[in-house]
Amino acid sequence: MGGFSNVWFSEELVKFLALWFSKGRNAISFLNLPLMTDHVKSKLENVVEKEEGVSLLDLPDLTLECIFERLPPNGLCNMAAVCSSLREKCTSDHLWEKHMKEKWGELIGSAAYKEWQCYVVSRNKASILEKSRKKRDLYGKFSKIRKLLWNRSKGNEDGSKVVNSSEMSSIMDWYLSLETGKFWFPSQVFNREVQNGHVGFMLSCYDAEVSYDSRTNTFSARYPSYGRRMIEDDIEWNRLRAPTVDTLPYVLHVSDCLDDLKPDDHIEIQWRKSKEFAYGWWYGVVGHLESCSGSKLNCHCHASETVLLEFKQYTPGSRWRQTVINRKDHREVGNEGDGFYGGIRKLYSEKEISLWKSLLPNSILE
């Protein structure tokens, strides 16, 4: 049965390619197939004489589905431009979900999805206003705006807005908006501005809005800074991650791991230079208190109300090397000279820990 299906699929595909081949279209390269042998070319020429009326749409749906699933994103876009029937098939969400997950799955989180929803609504609103302006129909204009605002006003109890399904865009649209750099989305950047020589940000991760540049396969980032907006270009993929918590950059993260912290645990802690700045996440490890011998057998640090955090990218004796927090009543602590330490999240994933370790500087900072 399987052999018969493969032969049938090949025959149908040969018929389709024969028609394209006879019309001078480069179907072979478009479908990423290997170069044809003389035998296949001969077969195509024979089929052309018999099947002048064959088109892609004559293939069974299952065959079309198999073809479309093997096309790259640019191939699906080209195929969607052929006719309305193919456009409907090639813009299907289930075809684009795979491409979305493969390229953007690890970088796009819930924050980026929420931002995309707002982006679509804003874009649709602008489109409605533009069409209304061209029509110069005041009644039509304001009725559409009222309808849009009414849909946006239907929110959850927590204040988050529910986007009407008719206002939502396809996964293909989202993918292409990311690919072309039109959509700036929330992300976090490791070692910000390191390419500009700012070693003071080593082993940190800061919130930003980022945009993709397909020509260089890198990103640009916009950082919210006090008094000005900083932009960094040429950021590679390995320096980005999706936000790990829903806490906003200016909000103190509520720590839920303080009772579990013990020496050698890996952590991230919020830190900011002053009250006006946004927090960044800084990598560190839990160390042994001065009163502890450092022996695992006799260590009682986990029973203490205080926790020692170490940042080993700095030299011993540096004011940035260590800080102590209260396990039972931890709040933002610090001053304008040393900065302010905020919430803590414990790292359980080896993947996260390995990523931080890969960013360790070659030399210890002062």
Side-chain angles (χ1 to χ4, degrees):
M1 184 67 178
F4 174 78
S5 298
N6 290 335
V7 172
W8 171 82
F9 175 82
S10 300
E11 291 292 336
E12 292 294 330
L13 187 56
V14 165
K15 291 179 182 179
F16 161 64
L17 294 178
L19 182 63
W20 273 43
F21 187 75
S22 67
K23 294 182 179 180
R25 297 181 181 178
N26 193 10
I28 302 303
S29 61
F30 177 74
L31 291 174
N32 296 321
L33 296 175
L35 295 177
M36 292 182 294
T37 63
D38 291 338
H39 171 72
V40 175
K41 288 182 179 179
S42 176
K43 190 170 185 177
L44 286 174
E45 291 172 356
N46 293 332
V47 172
V48 167
E49 297 177 0
K50 302 177 182 179
E51 300 290 346
E52 286 294 333
V54 174
S55 73
L56 180 62
L57 295 177
D58 291 327
L59 294 176
D61 289 341
L62 180 59
T63 306
L64 286 175
E65 192 73 15
C66 291
I67 295 174
F68 296 154
E69 287 180 350
R70 287 163 174 77
L71 291 179
N74 64 328
L76 284 174
C77 290
N78 290 337
M79 190 71 87
V82 173
C83 65
S84 59
S85 179
L86 289 179
R87 180 168 61 251
E88 181 179 354
K89 295 178 183 297
C90 292
T91 58
S92 173
D93 279 352
H94 86 274
L95 287 176
W96 285 91
E97 283 176 353
K98 179 187 70 172
H99 297 299
M100 191 73 182
K101 183 177 181 179
E102 287 179 352
K103 184 160 187 177
W104 299 101
E106 293 190 3
L107 195 54
I108 296 297
S110 59
Y113 180 66
K114 292 176 183 178
E115 192 69 23
W116 170 248
Q117 290 178 319
C118 295
Y119 175 83
V120 171
V121 171
S122 176
R123 185 181 61 182
N124 289 349
K125 179 180 178 181
S127 176
I128 289 175
L129 291 173
E130 179 64 19
K131 290 179 181 179
S132 300
R133 185 188 66 80
K134 290 181 178 180
K135 292 179 179 180
R136 299 183 183 279
D137 184 348
L138 294 179
Y139 176 81
K141 177 174 69 175
F142 288 110
S143 65
K144 289 180 180 179
I145 295 175
R146 282 200 304 272
K147 182 179 179 181
L148 175 63
L149 295 178
W150 171 253
N151 288 332
R152 291 189 67 185
S153 67
K154 296 176 180 178
N156 297 327
E157 292 182 358
D158 61 359
S160 60
K161 301 301 179 184
V162 176
V163 182
N164 189 286
S165 59
S166 64
E167 297 170 5
M168 288 306 298
S169 188
S170 66
I171 296 178
M172 174 184 175
D173 186 19
W174 191 10
Y175 182 97
L176 295 179
S177 293
L178 289 166
E179 189 74 17
T180 57
K182 293 180 179 179
F183 174 55
W184 289 74
F185 60 95
S187 184
Q188 292 181 336
V189 183
F190 292 99
N191 294 358
R192 62 175 282 185
E193 302 175 63
V194 66
Q195 290 158 309
N196 299 328
H198 290 271
V199 295
F201 287 109
M202 295 297 290
L203 290 190
S204 69
C205 195
Y206 274 78
D207 286 87
E209 290 181 325
V210 301
S211 173
Y212 180 61
D213 185 346
S214 59
R215 296 170 302 174
T216 60
N217 195 29
T218 60
F219 296 82
S220 295
R222 300 188 299 216
Y223 302 104
S225 298
Y226 179 66
R228 63 192 179 98
R229 171 168 281 185
M230 176 64 66
I231 297 180
E232 182 181 3
D233 298 317
D234 301 321
I235 299 171
E236 296 182 350
W237 285 80
N238 64 345
R239 288 182 53 210
L240 295 180
R241 74 175 182 185
T244 54
V245 295
D246 293 331
T247 308
L248 297 175
Y250 288 91
V251 177
L252 180 69
H253 176 67
V254 178
S255 307
D256 59 1
C257 62
L258 297 178
D259 291 337
D260 298 330
L261 293 180
K262 60 185 182 301
D264 297 327
D265 280 345
H266 300 262
I267 58 97
E268 293 177 11
I269 186 170
Q270 289 177 310
W271 182 87
R272 58 180 172 180
K273 184 178 181 181
S274 68
K275 296 283 189 177
E276 291 81 12
F277 283 83
Y279 286 112
W281 288 96
W282 293 74
Y283 170 71
V285 295
V286 178
H288 292 275
L289 297 168
E290 291 185 5
S291 58
C292 180
S293 64
S295 170
K296 292 184 178 181
L297 295 177
N298 298 318
C299 178
H300 299 285
C301 294
H302 61 281
S304 173
E305 291 190 0
T306 57
V307 181
L308 176 70
L309 304 180
E310 288 191 293
F311 307 94
K312 295 184 178 180
Q313 67 268 39
Y314 298 104
T315 58
S318 168
R319 62 175 177 163
W320 310 112
R321 174 78 179 198
Q322 296 180 341
T323 192
V324 176
I325 64 166
N326 189 302
R327 190 194 300 269
K328 300 300 182 182
D329 187 29
H330 176 57
R331 303 173 184 177
E332 183 183 63
V333 293
N335 53 62
E336 293 292 338
D338 297 332
F340 296 87
Y341 295 88
I344 299 173
R345 61 180 295 261
K346 181 178 176 180
L347 302 182
Y348 298 93
S349 166
E350 285 297 328
K351 184 177 180 180
E352 278 192 291
I353 296 171
S354 296
L355 177 56
W356 277 113
K357 288 181 176 180
S358 71
L359 298 170
L360 282 167
N362 295 326
S363 58
I364 298 178
L365 307 177
E366 295 293 333

